[in-house]
Amino acid sequence: MSLVLRSDDLPPDDRIEIIHDAIWAGVLPVEIDYDRPGPQIEVLCKVAQAGPVNFSSARSTPTMLRRTPALARQDHDPTVFLAVQVSGTTMVAQGEHQAVLRAGDMVVYESTRPYTVLNTDRTELHYFQVPRSALALADGALAAVTGLRIGPDNNALAAVVAPYFDSLGSTDVLDDPTAAALVAGPSIDLLRALIATHVADAELAAAPLHGSLVLRVQEYVRAHLADRGLSAATIAAAHHVSVRHLYASCARAGVSLQATIRALRLEECRRELRDPAFAHLTVGVVGARWGFADASHFGRVFREAFGTTPRDWRAGG
């Protein structure tokens, strides 16, 4: 279950104190500074727990979060944060490193050293807090990446990792205890792979990259559903593995690649058939947009999946 904190629901004069106490209790003790009085502060904050992983999201007016030296020295279980920028601009500094984040960028930092997170305008970020022990990374590898901007232009995994964590922070999936428990392990694997890849240590990256392959493949499939050329061969090539290795990895995870592609495409078709924005398109065109070039085949698999024809579904049946 998630904790949701909205500034509009809080007494204006007590807003700063309530937000401060909620972050200290639900995430991590940090000093929070604002550039305006309490009644003018706007915040929407959500905190959820998935096994050992703490997920939090914050949309707010300008703020500065400071993990001071005194707070960093306090006795606590060391944790590592991944911040994912959704909108606005944020500066994160730890040690000798400083990162300026814009939409789609990420940064890693840790709780045992002082850090500053400065949101200079209205911003939205997702924060994912993982026990340092769960990452099982050498201290040197972690120190080499903390406080550095990670984005699609400097990390091969960023284009997959950022949307994955953004989807966890932007949806209600973590409100389902079963779903939350299932995503904890893969989330840690992806974060470990992201860090290992960024420090350019092939040996260090090998295990987490292998462990997160199926998850990365699923995210890739979602991003390329409308590509008619999407196939095991193109997916394997994009992930630098053989088709045989791809199928073997999916089989070990209990995932049918072709069934996953078809199911996701059918869901998109079902959505568009009820969307007024696509009412001008024929049923066959909607199917073709999502890789079903044969209208008869599309109608058959749609009925098998949903118990009704695409035309009847569009009509409200």
Side-chain angles (χ1 to χ4, degrees):
M1 200 68 177
S2 300
L3 166 67
V4 179
L5 201 63
R6 295 183 178 85
S7 52
D8 289 347
D9 298 334
L10 308 177
D13 293 337
D14 298 328
R15 194 167 289 171
I16 291 178
E17 183 178 355
I18 293 173
I19 294 171
H20 176 275
D21 291 348
I23 298 301
W24 276 54
V27 184
L28 189 75
V30 290
E31 298 298 341
I32 309 176
D33 301 318
Y34 301 92
D35 68 344
R36 62 197 67 193
Q40 297 178 23
I41 293 172
E42 298 177 21
V43 172
L44 174 59
C45 181
K46 181 177 179 180
V47 180
Q49 194 74 26
V53 185
N54 179 280
F55 296 83
S56 58
S57 298
R59 184 188 310 150
S60 70
T61 44
T63 57
M64 182 165 67
L65 310 179
R66 293 180 295 116
R67 180 77 168 164
T68 65
L71 290 173
R73 286 193 302 267
Q74 288 184 356
D75 183 34
H76 69 286
D77 291 329
T79 59
V80 175
F81 282 86
L82 173 71
V84 181
Q85 191 82 18
V86 179
S87 64
T89 302
T90 296
M91 186 278 290
V92 179
Q94 184 165 62
E96 299 179 354
H97 296 159
Q98 179 175 303
V100 176
L101 309 181
R102 294 179 176 83
D105 289 335
M106 298 171 285
V107 66
V108 173
Y109 53 97
E110 55 180 326
S111 65
T112 56
R113 293 190 292 149
Y115 63 76
T116 299
V117 178
L118 175 63
N119 300 311
T120 56
D121 52 13
R122 186 182 296 271
T123 57
E124 182 174 1
L125 293 100
H126 302 309
Y127 301 93
F128 303 91
Q129 183 183 11
V130 177
R132 195 160 110 180
S133 59
L135 284 175
L137 288 172
D139 291 343
L142 193 56
V145 74
T146 52
L148 295 179
R149 185 187 68 85
I150 302 175
D153 61 326
N154 63 13
N155 189 297
L157 288 182
V160 172
V161 176
Y164 167 77
F165 282 107
D166 184 22
S167 67
L168 289 184
S170 302
T171 67
D172 295 328
V173 64
L174 298 177
D175 290 340
D176 181 334
T178 301
L182 289 173
V183 301
S187 298
I188 293 172
D189 284 339
L190 269 185
L191 177 53
R192 186 188 302 115
L194 182 74
I195 294 171
T197 303
H198 208 66
V199 297
D201 187 326
E203 183 177 350
L204 186 66
L209 283 172
H210 175 75
S212 64
L213 175 62
V214 174
L215 184 60
R216 289 184 287 120
V217 164
Q218 289 173 317
E219 290 299 312
Y220 181 89
V221 166
R222 289 187 180 93
H224 295 82
L225 275 178
D227 183 357
R228 290 190 183 182
L230 184 66
S231 66
T234 59
I235 295 169
H239 292 83
H240 310 291
V241 298
S242 68
V243 172
R244 181 177 179 179
H245 180 77
L246 173 65
Y247 276 125
S249 296
C250 289
R252 283 194 297 271
V255 173
S256 168
L257 186 60
Q258 298 304 325
T260 296
I261 294 173
R262 185 173 69 175
L264 290 173
R265 282 177 164 172
L266 285 171
E267 283 294 342
E268 291 298 330
C269 292
R270 184 165 72 160
R271 178 184 60 79
E272 285 194 359
L273 287 169
R274 283 280 178 90
D275 189 336
F278 299 96
H280 64 290
L281 301 180
T282 66
V283 167
V285 169
V286 170
R289 277 170 48 81
W290 294 101
F292 296 99
D294 185 308
S296 297
H297 173 69
F298 171 52
R300 185 168 61 256
V301 296
F302 190 97
R303 182 163 189 154
E304 289 174 356
F306 304 121
T308 186
T309 66
R311 197 175 306 278
D312 287 345
W313 170 257
R314 168 174 268 180

